[in-house]
Amino acid sequence: MTRLTRDQLIEKATMDYFANVDKKNMDGVLANFHDNATLTVPTDPIVHEGREQGIRQMFQTLFDSYVDIWHGDFECTADEATQSIAARFNVYLKTEDGSEIKLTNCNFWYVEDGKFSRVFVFMSGPNVLK
């Protein structure tokens, strides 16, 4: 059973996950999830189930919808005992026609054996994770 340190948990969220989202690296993003993981957007509400089903499709839609994706200005905390991560961050998305969406979001990740089992995304604006 893999248990991550506080620093490893934060690195998983910011570098292993968000850095790959920003590069539109599908394999890199999905490598962070268990097969039966869920990603929930409570502010919509919508639930994406399964790494290769719902979560893959959600990210493919995101990658196809925006030419530029950026996540940053992270404020993170992590709890080694519960293997969980919380982060507040900014998001900038740009469409092909030059329109921009700016969000301030909060995510909560639950990690089991080194991978995400559940992720919750709270968005300050429209749900871009359809």
Side-chain angles (χ1 to χ4, degrees):
M1 170 83 80
T2 301
R3 295 198 51 85
L4 303 178
T5 66
R6 179 186 180 280
D7 289 344
Q8 288 172 321
L9 287 163
I10 291 172
E11 184 175 317
K12 178 160 221 36
T14 58
M15 300 308 298
D16 297 344
Y17 177 67
F18 278 128
N20 279 302
V21 171
D22 292 352
K23 292 186 277 189
K24 298 184 181 184
N25 176 359
M26 183 70 78
D27 291 338
V29 171
L30 295 179
N32 290 288
F33 289 89
H34 280 286
D35 289 344
N36 61 348
T38 59
L39 190 149
T40 302
V41 183
T43 48
D44 194 15
I46 191 169
V47 178
H48 300 284
E49 296 183 16
R51 179 185 66 207
E52 294 300 328
Q53 299 81 34
I55 295 171
R56 177 184 288 277
Q57 182 57 52
M58 178 203 71
F59 278 111
Q60 192 61 60
T61 300
L62 178 72
F63 295 166
D64 291 345
S65 299
Y66 300 97
V67 294
D68 290 318
I69 301 172
W70 180 85
H71 297 82
D73 303 325
F74 296 108
E75 296 174 21
C76 300
T77 190
D79 181 48
E80 288 182 37
T82 61
Q83 293 289 283
S84 58
I85 312 151
R88 196 242 23 110
F89 53 94
N90 291 318
V91 182
Y92 298 102
L93 305 164
K94 184 183 272 186
T95 63
E96 202 164 298
D97 70 3
S99 311
E100 292 184 359
I101 295 175
K102 296 177 182 179
L103 304 167
T104 299
N105 293 354
C106 292
N107 279 21
F108 299 90
W109 295 268
Y110 295 89
V111 177
E112 293 177 9
D113 201 21
K115 293 187 177 190
F116 302 146
S117 58
R118 294 176 293 142
V119 178
F120 295 86
V121 180
F122 292 82
M123 293 194 187
S124 65
N127 178 12
V128 298
L129 300 177
K130 299 270 182 186

